[in-house]
């Protein structure tokens, strides 16, 4: 059994939850667009609204834009009952949108995280943060052409950690 510190980010992604051409022009709209990539919530409008509300509340506390053109939208706490397993939505925006990051760079790479427990939530955030320090990984994520390539690039980066 894997510990949370060794959770594989690549295993939390799926091609259906990857959007390489986000169209939104602002933070609220991009959150809506990212949540729209979760097939599990398509037929659950109440769960979708709960998630959007939690994400927006978190952004009001402090932006999840971490710099280097990356945002890690997530709720402040785990969303118990909303999902039965952790998942990540990946999004990429061609020009980037203002996201309130400390370096003021527009966000182009988005990893939306949803986890059913606080322990999983924190473990995944920590793992993502470590992975995304690698400038090669960030460049590769901006260059890939297919959703499956996102998973492959992340899997390769995880293997070299």
């Amino acid at each position: 059994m894997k510990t949370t510190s060794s959770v594989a980010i690549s295993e939390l992604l799926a091609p259906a939850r990857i959007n390489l051409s986000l169209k939104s022009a602002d933070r609220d709209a991009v959150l809506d667009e990212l949540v729209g990539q979760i097939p599990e919530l398509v037929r659950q409008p109440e769960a979708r609204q709960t998630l959007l509300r939690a994400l927006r509340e978190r952004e009001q506390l402090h932006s999840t834009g971490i710099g280097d053109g990356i945002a890690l939208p997530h709720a402040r706490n785990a969303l118990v009952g909303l999902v039965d397993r952790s998942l990540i939505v990946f999004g990429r925006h061609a020009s980037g949108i203002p996201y309130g990051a400390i370096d003021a760079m527009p966000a182009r790479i988005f990893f939306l995280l949803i986890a059913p427990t606080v322990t999983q939530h924190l473990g995944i955030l920590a793992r993502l943060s470590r992975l995304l320090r690698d400038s090669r990984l960030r460049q590769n994520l901006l260059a890939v052409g297919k959703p499956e390539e996102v998973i492959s690039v992340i899997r390769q980066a995880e293997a070299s950690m």
Side-chain angles (χ1 to χ4, degrees):
M1 186 171 133
K2 290 184 178 187
T3 64
T4 44
S5 61
S6 66
V7 67
I9 300 302
S10 57
E11 293 176 14
L12 302 178
L13 288 161
R17 292 193 304 269
I18 296 174
N19 183 336
L20 299 177
S21 56
L22 294 170
K23 306 288 184 229
S24 301
D26 62 45
R27 186 166 58 191
D28 277 355
V30 86
L31 290 174
D32 193 45
E33 198 172 353
L34 289 167
V35 169
Q37 288 294 133
I38 306 172
E40 297 90 338
L41 296 183
V42 168
R43 289 184 280 289
Q44 299 180 48
E46 287 179 24
R48 179 184 164 88
Q49 288 309 312
T50 297
L51 175 57
L52 275 171
R53 186 170 40 257
L55 293 169
R56 289 180 176 136
E57 286 171 1
R58 171 61 182 87
E59 293 297 339
Q60 287 174 354
L61 286 174
H62 192 277
S63 174
T64 59
I66 63 169
D68 292 320
I70 301 166
L72 304 177
H74 59 277
R76 187 163 167 229
N77 298 305
L79 295 167
V80 178
L82 191 66
V83 292
D84 56 1
R85 60 184 170 71
S86 298
L87 62 88
I88 293 175
V89 175
F90 176 85
R92 186 177 69 194
H93 196 283
S95 57
I97 62 165
Y99 213 82
I102 195 160
D103 64 1
M105 282 184 65
R108 295 181 63 199
I109 296 172
F110 299 85
F111 286 90
L112 167 65
L113 162 64
I114 307 169
T117 71
V118 173
T119 304
Q120 289 175 17
H121 179 90
L122 295 174
I124 294 164
L125 272 178
R127 178 88 171 162
L128 260 176
S129 296
R130 279 192 306 277
L131 269 176
L132 292 168
R133 288 183 198 144
D134 181 358
S135 62
R136 283 188 325 259
L137 173 59
R138 296 191 308 265
Q139 290 167 355
N140 289 340
L141 289 172
L142 290 171
V144 297
K146 297 179 188 169
E148 295 80 9
E149 292 173 0
V150 170
I151 298 168
S152 177
V153 162
I154 291 172
R155 189 175 292 124
Q156 289 169 7
E158 288 177 312
S160 66
M161 274 185 78

